Amino acid sequence: MAWAKRKTTAGRVVYVAAEGGAGVYRRVAAWHQAHQLPETDNFHVCITPLLLTIEQQMVQLRDAIRALPTPPVLIVIDTLSQTFTGDENAATDIGDYLRMLNTHLRAEFNCTVLVIHHTGHSASERPRGSSAITANVDFLLGCFRPNADCNSALLEVIKQKDGDRLPTSHFELERQVLGKDEDGEEISSLVANWQDLLDIIKAAAGKLTPVEQKLITMMEPGLIVSEDEMAEEIRGMVKDSSLRNTRVRAVQKLSELKLIVPVSGKNLWTRKIG
């Protein structure tokens, strides 16, 4: 099936859920429910705690994957910190870990190995720990929520060794109710729905005045803008005497069209998708 307007090919996937393993099954069920698809038989989850820096445990994982009907095209390791022993800040330790993944998984099955890792506390644009992580991978994707108050997420290509960097992808996180537990409380999970930002803006363009178009253009994805900054952006397009009222009406219109959302109620706004 197509995804984010791109062709895909079906393939077997192994997901090593070393962190939050129980929730993975709900995510899989929610995805299939949201897209009205029958559940697949080529997605395999491993919730056994594994330290993949220990060769014996890596070999156990490799041998279990070998026993599948066909080799996987993708193996996901979630997360680095839960499958790694050593110092994340040491290039040697990180290098040894990545070589183990390469030797026993990527080269063995000729597949992609995707390692999920956390960002640093003060540097959200790069992985936590040694710079050897960035240096030794073929691609690096950054996933974050620009506004904690909204169910929106961005996926950015930070590094792409062989190929062009793709533009930022936008997702809306939709809650799916899967059923109820023995106490009658809802069991739910989230589904990340890709949004075509350009199509959304184009569809809304006919409904926007030049001032509104100017404001939505200035708000790059993930950027938080104050109402004072908005006023400065449109200064010169309207008379100073009507600047405030024009800005208020424009913000209200963009909000009603669900193109922007407030951030923490402090006269700050960010672009919303969907």
Side-chain angles (χ1 to χ4, degrees):
M1 60 181 289
W3 183 82
K5 288 190 173 181
R6 295 182 175 273
K7 293 180 180 179
T8 67
T9 54
R12 195 171 300 279
V13 175
V14 172
Y15 196 103
V16 181
E19 184 172 305
V24 173
Y25 295 106
R26 289 198 297 271
R27 291 287 170 91
V28 173
W31 169 266
H32 287 83
Q33 177 176 290
H35 294 276
Q36 299 181 342
L37 295 171
E39 290 203 20
T40 180
D41 60 357
N42 64 357
F43 185 87
H44 307 272
V45 179
C46 172
I47 59 173
T48 303
L50 293 172
L51 293 175
L52 300 181
T53 44
I54 300 175
E55 189 161 12
Q56 180 185 5
Q57 295 192 28
M58 176 69 83
V59 169
Q60 288 177 328
L61 174 63
R62 183 197 66 196
D63 291 346
I65 296 174
R66 275 180 180 170
L68 295 174
T70 58
V73 298
L74 173 66
I75 299 173
V76 181
I77 309 297
D78 184 4
T79 58
L80 183 151
S81 62
Q82 291 298 314
T83 59
F84 172 82
T85 55
D87 183 358
E88 287 184 0
N89 296 299
T92 301
D93 290 356
I94 288 294
D96 289 344
Y97 173 77
L98 294 176
R99 276 190 293 274
M100 288 273 281
L101 294 178
N102 184 49
T103 301
H104 291 283
L105 300 180
R106 187 173 74 161
E108 174 74 19
F109 302 108
N110 190 30
C111 68
T112 296
V113 178
L114 178 65
V115 181
I116 298 176
H117 188 40
H118 301 287
T119 58
H121 296 294
S122 60
S124 60
E125 75 281 359
R126 68 176 186 85
R128 186 179 68 194
S130 171
S131 60
I133 297 175
T134 300
N136 287 279
V137 298
D138 293 329
F139 61 88
L140 185 64
L141 309 177
C143 183
F144 64 96
R145 292 174 65 181
N147 181 1
D149 296 330
C150 299
N151 283 334
S152 299
L154 302 179
L155 184 70
E156 291 187 342
V157 179
I158 309 299
K159 175 185 177 181
Q160 182 67 57
K161 185 176 180 181
D162 298 311
D164 297 329
R165 288 190 181 184
L166 298 176
T168 300
S169 293
H170 307 258
F171 296 85
E172 284 296 305
L173 306 179
E174 175 191 350
R175 182 172 179 263
Q176 286 282 320
V177 177
L178 302 173
K180 294 185 178 181
D181 62 17
E182 61 273 12
D183 298 321
E185 296 181 353
E186 291 182 341
I187 300 173
S188 64
S189 189
L190 290 177
V191 173
N193 293 318
W194 179 75
Q195 305 289 315
D196 190 328
L197 176 62
L198 292 178
D199 281 357
I200 291 171
I201 298 300
K202 287 177 181 177
K207 305 175 185 178
L208 302 182
T209 66
V211 166
E212 292 158 358
Q213 291 185 33
K214 182 74 170 177
L215 292 182
I216 196 63
T217 300
M218 76 173 288
M219 299 177 72
E220 293 293 329
L223 181 67
I224 296 175
V225 178
S226 70
E227 292 185 0
D228 287 342
E229 289 172 319
M230 292 184 188
E232 286 302 315
E233 186 72 11
I234 62 174
R235 189 182 297 277
M237 297 181 68
V238 297
K239 295 179 180 179
D240 287 347
S241 59
S242 60
L243 181 61
R244 182 183 181 280
N245 288 338
T246 301
R247 187 261 300 159
V248 169
R249 288 195 299 269
V251 168
Q252 183 178 359
K253 175 77 167 296
L254 294 173
S255 177
E256 289 173 352
L257 290 174
K258 298 183 178 180
L259 293 175
I260 64 173
V261 291
V263 180
S264 303
K266 298 178 181 178
N267 295 325
L268 300 175
W269 296 81
T270 189
R271 182 187 285 179
K272 181 180 186 298
I273 312 304

